[in-house]
């Protein structure tokens, strides 16, 4: 347990070093126990949304009194369910076979079993966050979400979406939780796996936004870097850091990507807010000149029942920026909130696969 707590402590510090103040953790119950232990003994300086893996949900519900009441900074907000694998391993579940193959990938659940698990979570008031990368898995996720309407279900990744399914996200109120940072490493292998037509419509951020879908961006750390600036670059440039372009008309402006990572529902005097300060203005970044430096400063704002949860000065930036943020910061990105919960964050990361 102590080893797991130490890992969580180090991870929290790294999140703050990158200006991230809220994390969605798709971990195991042992990870939730470590988060709660750290909060009790030292205080947790970031906010965590935690989703319970579908195979552990029955245990969590049976032992709920052992975990609750949860502290202000931790919320169990969903169930995580894997519907397929990944494109690179050819385990993402596709509607049509992989290029040069008759294989369509791996389906992890039968339809009856998946529906039962989604409805079990829904009966406990929990939406399901579906890991769905291939277009068949995305379609299945949308079908399953329709079986338990009225909850904020999410499709995690949505890397390959059939055109017929793009409009279903907005129509059903399902969020597309996407990680453009994956294209930094996936771009070289996508054409050989998917062929040109499906490659063109990978990571359909722009297409989903056009339909009115709610899209949020994250990192999928530790699979990819948690640096949100690399995610901004990927979403705006649609190419690798080495300059290899991913075909398709799915780029979005840097400022749009910034809002999908950070979001600003309300910025007004008197509203609590998280704050991350960069030495450069991320909104002025371009695909040719992305933000390369980490924040000078990250601060997690208060909840209605507490004071400031804590300020953090990144260890690495102590040497380059000094112990205080600049008097007139070049960039300040906050995620403000109304004076009552829920309290949104300055930056978002997804932890899990």
């Amino acid at each position: 347990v102590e080893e797991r707590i130490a890992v969580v402590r180090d991870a929290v510090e790294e999140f703050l070093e990158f200006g991230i103040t809220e994390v969605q953790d798709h971990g195991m119950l042992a990870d939730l126990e470590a988060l709660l232990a750290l909060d009790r003994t030292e205080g947790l300086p970031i906010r965590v949304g935690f989703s319970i893996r579908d195979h552990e949900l029955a245990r969590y519900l049976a032992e709920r009194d052992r975990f609750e009441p949860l502290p202000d900074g931790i919320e169990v907000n969903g169930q995580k369910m894997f519907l397929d694998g990944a494109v690179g391993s050819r385990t993402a579940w596709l509607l049509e076979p992989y290029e040069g193959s008759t294989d369509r990938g791996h389906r992890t659940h039968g339809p009856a079993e998946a529906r039962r698990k989604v409805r079990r979570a829904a009966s406990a008031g929990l939406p399901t966050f579906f890991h769905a990368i291939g277009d068949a898995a995305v379609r299945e996720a949308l079908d399953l979400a329709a079986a338990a309407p009225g909850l904020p279900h999410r499709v995690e990744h949505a890397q390959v979406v059939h055109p017929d399914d793009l409009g279903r996200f907005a129509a059903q109120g399902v969020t597309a939780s996407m990680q453009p940072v994956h294209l930094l490493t996936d771009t070289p292998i996508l054409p050989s796996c998917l062929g040109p037509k499906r490659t063109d419509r990978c990571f359909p951020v722009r297409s989903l936004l056009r339909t009115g879908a709610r899209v949020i961006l994250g990192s999928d750390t530790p699979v990819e870097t948690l640096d949100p600036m690399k995610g901004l670059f990927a979403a705006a440039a649609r190419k690798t850091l080495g300059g290899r372009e991913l075909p398709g008309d799915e780029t979005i402006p840097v400022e749009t990507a910034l809002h999908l990572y950070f979001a600003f529902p309300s910025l007004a005097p008197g509203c609590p807010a998280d704050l991350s300060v960069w030495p450069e203005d991320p909104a002025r970044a371009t695909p040719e000149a992305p933000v390369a430096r980490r924040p000078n400063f990250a601060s997690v704002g208060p909840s209605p029942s507490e004071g400031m949860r804590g300020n953090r000065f990144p260890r690495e930036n102590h040497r380059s920026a000094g112990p205080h943020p600049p008097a007139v910061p070049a960039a300040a990105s906050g995620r403000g909130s109304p004076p009552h919960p829920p309290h949104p964050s300055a930056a978002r990361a997804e932890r899990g696969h």
Side-chain angles (χ1 to χ4, degrees):
V1 175
E2 291 302 319
E3 182 178 346
R4 192 176 290 268
I5 291 173
V7 170
V8 170
R9 183 188 299 113
D10 289 344
V12 166
E13 288 299 324
E14 188 173 11
F15 287 131
L16 288 167
E17 285 183 8
F18 282 95
I20 294 166
T21 60
E22 180 175 318
V23 176
Q24 178 65 46
D25 192 342
H26 304 300
M28 308 291 287
L29 282 179
D31 298 314
L32 177 58
E33 291 169 340
L35 283 164
L36 292 170
L38 183 64
D39 187 75
R40 283 194 302 269
T41 57
E42 302 175 24
L44 193 65
I46 64 172
R47 272 177 291 277
V48 178
F50 198 94
S51 61
I52 308 296
R53 299 286 181 100
D54 62 286
H55 67 277
E56 290 192 310
L57 183 63
R59 178 190 160 201
Y60 171 74
L61 295 176
E63 301 176 9
R64 207 165 187 170
D65 291 345
R66 185 164 67 85
F67 296 97
E68 297 180 353
L70 295 168
D72 284 345
I74 302 175
E75 179 188 11
V76 172
N77 60 354
Q79 166 185 247
K80 177 67 182 290
M81 177 185 290
F82 287 82
L83 296 182
D84 67 349
V87 172
S89 60
R90 298 199 169 204
T91 53
W93 180 28
L94 301 175
L95 293 169
E96 300 295 334
Y98 283 89
E99 190 76 356
S101 171
T102 59
D103 185 36
R104 297 196 299 121
H106 179 59
R107 180 181 192 172
T108 60
H109 290 79
E113 177 194 19
R115 195 175 301 110
R116 176 182 61 80
K117 288 184 175 183
V118 169
R119 286 174 171 164
R120 179 182 63 184
S123 68
L126 295 174
T128 296
F129 303 156
F130 303 97
H131 169 112
I133 288 181
D135 50 9
V138 171
R139 181 169 292 179
E140 176 83 346
L142 293 167
D143 290 345
L144 290 168
L151 289 168
H153 301 291
R154 284 163 47 169
V155 176
E156 298 290 340
H157 308 304
Q159 186 169 333
V160 188
V161 182
H162 192 278
D164 291 348
D165 294 320
L166 290 170
R168 296 182 64 189
F169 284 83
Q172 294 180 213
V174 175
T175 296
S177 173
M178 306 177 74
Q179 300 79 28
V181 70
H182 276 297
L183 71 82
L184 299 181
T185 51
D186 282 4
T187 290
I189 57 94
L190 289 175
S192 63
C193 290
L194 301 177
K197 289 185 179 180
R198 286 181 296 191
T199 296
D200 284 357
R201 53 184 173 87
C202 276
F203 302 102
V205 180
R206 178 187 284 189
S207 293
L208 283 165
L209 290 173
R210 283 173 174 166
T211 68
R214 180 173 184 256
V215 178
I216 58 176
L217 302 182
S219 68
D220 203 29
T221 188
V223 178
E224 297 286 354
T225 174
L226 56 82
D227 184 354
M229 295 301 112
K230 287 187 170 60
L232 289 176
F233 168 82
R238 199 169 167 85
K239 62 183 177 182
T240 68
L241 296 175
R244 180 166 178 172
E245 292 189 9
L246 180 65
D249 185 25
E250 292 293 346
T251 58
I252 58 174
V254 170
E255 191 162 348
T256 299
L258 186 67
H259 278 257
L260 297 181
Y261 265 103
F262 291 78
F264 304 89
S266 175
L267 287 175
C271 288
D274 298 350
L275 186 71
S276 295
V277 180
W278 269 265
E280 308 166 63
D281 186 349
R284 295 184 179 180
T286 66
E288 294 72 31
V291 174
R293 297 175 65 186
R294 296 187 186 183
N296 295 99
F297 176 79
S299 171
V300 181
S303 74
S305 62
E306 62 182 1
M308 186 69 71
R309 294 184 68 85
N311 299 334
R312 289 296 182 273
F313 300 90
R315 291 189 296 264
E316 182 174 297
N317 285 339
H318 281 175
R319 296 186 291 275
S320 62
H324 300 287
V328 182
S333 296
R335 188 172 186 190
S337 75
H340 302 289
H343 192 307
S345 67
R348 178 191 306 110
E350 299 284 339
R351 193 189 80 83
H353 302 283

